[in-house]
Amino acid sequence: MSAWRFERHPRLGSGRTDGRRWWVRPGRPDALPGLLTAAGRWRPVYGPPDEIDGAVIADAETLIDISALDAVRSVAPESGVVHVEAGCTWEALETTLGRRGLTLGPVPRWLVGRPIAETLAAGPPARPSPRYGDVTDGLLALRAALPGGLTNCAVSPRRATGPDFGRIPVGADHRAGLITDVHLRVWPVEPGRAWRRVRFAGWAEARAAALAVLADGIRPAWWCLRRALRQVSLDMQFDGPRLDRQAERLDALLAGFDGQADPPEAAERFADTRLWRPGAGPTVLSAVQHVAGPDLAGAVEGIPRVEVWDLRPEGATVHVAREAAAPPPDGAWADLAERVFAALDGAGEGGR
């Protein structure tokens, strides 16, 4: 028998309580500011209270279930924009877009079941992609609920200078407001795809080949460097216009490196274990280390099941295919963020 019972709170309205905490499920975004004002220490959740990990909500007084805030408000294929409520999950949005011949780009299976608000409020990259970028790179506009009301949400060209205050909730773990709805960039679904897998003697050789791909202007839809027995495998998928020409350029470029090409089907099979397809369940991938500079071999030493999805000329993010603690944030930035959020919420008074 569940410890949560239905009751009515004098300020929160109808919900469920276990005698210490309250769970409420708003049906529209404009109800959120009033809930935040009355909530005390609140936390967004997704689903009934008895199905939520207790560690996630241990310090919360009010659980705000955003799963009903999942409407796709509009899709504009000609401008490549979708407007969606932030309780929608990534795979649900991709399914809706697919019916219109559109896509967000590759959707990793570690995003399956995760609402947009939760992902944007988190820190590490969620979908590194040389062609499509991270999911935050496709964020055109964002609206958030604050105790005083809803922020503005206008799609406009990205400003070249100055802070973008509308994006403060991104990466803030819900401390700068609860994200209610977003505008995201979408692309037409490309009819063709191509895969490649090349194995190299070590991390330095694989990294050099991957960066040469970027330098030549070739942009894989996704790629991954990972250990393959005593070698390092570079797996890639390509889509987009002039696909045959992309593949020809890639093959000519990689011929100049001392790598061993495997059948493309090998990379395609690996993609099926990492990227979402209709009916595919979730997987786990955790960021464990941020690397500055070229020394990938030293960074991954002693770490089992390493995968590098986020590779850039200036560094990389090391992932593992299991649950693992996130790398600690930079101390100076963490201190600054704490002071900023403490000022925003009155040093902890009146809730979050």
Side-chain angles (χ1 to χ4, degrees):
M1 181 178 177
S2 173
W4 295 83
R5 60 187 183 276
F6 286 97
E7 286 192 18
R8 183 172 182 81
H9 190 280
R11 299 181 66 192
L12 298 172
S14 298
R16 294 167 69 178
T17 181
D18 64 354
R20 182 172 64 88
R21 297 166 296 186
W22 280 83
W23 172 91
V24 292
R25 191 182 190 196
R28 60 188 192 281
D30 57 10
L32 289 169
L35 287 177
L36 300 189
T37 301
R41 292 191 305 274
W42 56 270
R43 188 78 186 175
V45 297
Y46 195 77
D50 44 12
E51 296 179 6
I52 299 167
D53 184 351
V56 174
I57 60 175
D59 297 329
E61 297 173 1
T62 306
L63 314 178
I64 302 177
D65 180 4
I66 62 172
S67 59
L69 306 179
D70 63 350
V72 178
R73 296 191 176 185
S74 65
V75 181
E78 53 291 333
S79 57
V81 179
V82 61
H83 183 195
V84 59
E85 293 178 358
C88 187
T89 63
W90 293 101
E91 75 275 13
L93 176 57
E94 180 71 3
T95 299
T96 299
L97 292 172
R99 300 190 188 106
R100 304 285 297 271
L102 299 169
T103 181
L104 296 163
V107 176
R109 286 174 63 175
W110 50 89
L111 290 184
V112 171
R114 294 185 63 185
I116 292 169
E118 177 189 331
T119 308
L120 295 182
R127 194 275 309 272
S129 166
R131 174 170 169 78
Y132 296 95
D134 189 62
V135 290
T136 56
D137 294 325
L139 180 62
L140 303 176
L142 174 152
R143 186 164 62 165
L146 304 172
L150 294 173
T151 63
N152 293 326
C153 183
V155 180
S156 61
R158 185 173 294 183
R159 291 183 289 276
T161 59
D164 189 348
F165 292 109
R167 291 175 180 251
I168 287 178
V170 177
D173 193 28
H174 309 294
R175 293 195 62 183
L178 178 53
I179 299 170
T180 61
D181 53 290
V182 297
H183 290 77
L184 297 170
R185 178 81 168 90
V186 296
W187 290 265
V189 173
E190 300 291 346
R193 293 174 180 170
W195 289 266
R196 292 293 186 274
R197 171 180 288 178
V198 185
R199 288 181 283 122
F200 298 90
W203 289 99
E205 294 84 353
R207 179 182 183 276
L211 294 185
V213 170
L214 289 183
D216 198 56
I218 303 171
R219 295 293 181 267
W222 67 264
W223 64 0
C224 176
L225 281 76
R226 61 194 180 94
R227 286 196 185 101
L229 299 177
R230 295 181 180 274
Q231 296 178 305
V232 176
S233 173
L234 173 59
D235 289 52
M236 295 173 282
Q237 176 193 310
F238 295 86
D239 58 25
R242 297 188 292 276
L243 184 60
D244 292 342
R245 177 59 181 152
Q246 283 190 77
E248 290 173 4
R249 286 174 56 196
L250 176 72
D251 292 340
L253 176 68
L254 293 179
F257 290 83
D258 188 15
Q260 178 181 339
D262 286 346
E265 293 79 13
E268 184 177 2
R269 287 193 296 270
F270 176 66
D272 283 338
T273 70
R274 294 292 183 267
L275 302 179
W276 177 79
R277 305 283 187 266
T283 59
V284 176
L285 197 76
S286 305
V288 294
Q289 187 168 337
H290 299 301
V291 181
D295 187 16
L296 272 180
V300 303
E301 183 68 29
I303 304 176
R305 302 175 65 185
V306 165
E307 298 183 10
V308 177
W309 290 73
D310 176 33
L311 177 67
R312 296 156 277 112
E314 64 273 17
T317 304
V318 176
H319 296 78
V320 293
R322 54 183 168 80
E323 294 284 0
D330 177 87
W333 279 106
D335 179 65
L336 175 61
E338 186 61 34
R339 285 186 280 127
V340 168
F341 294 132
L344 287 175
D345 62 18
E349 296 178 2
R352 301 186 63 183

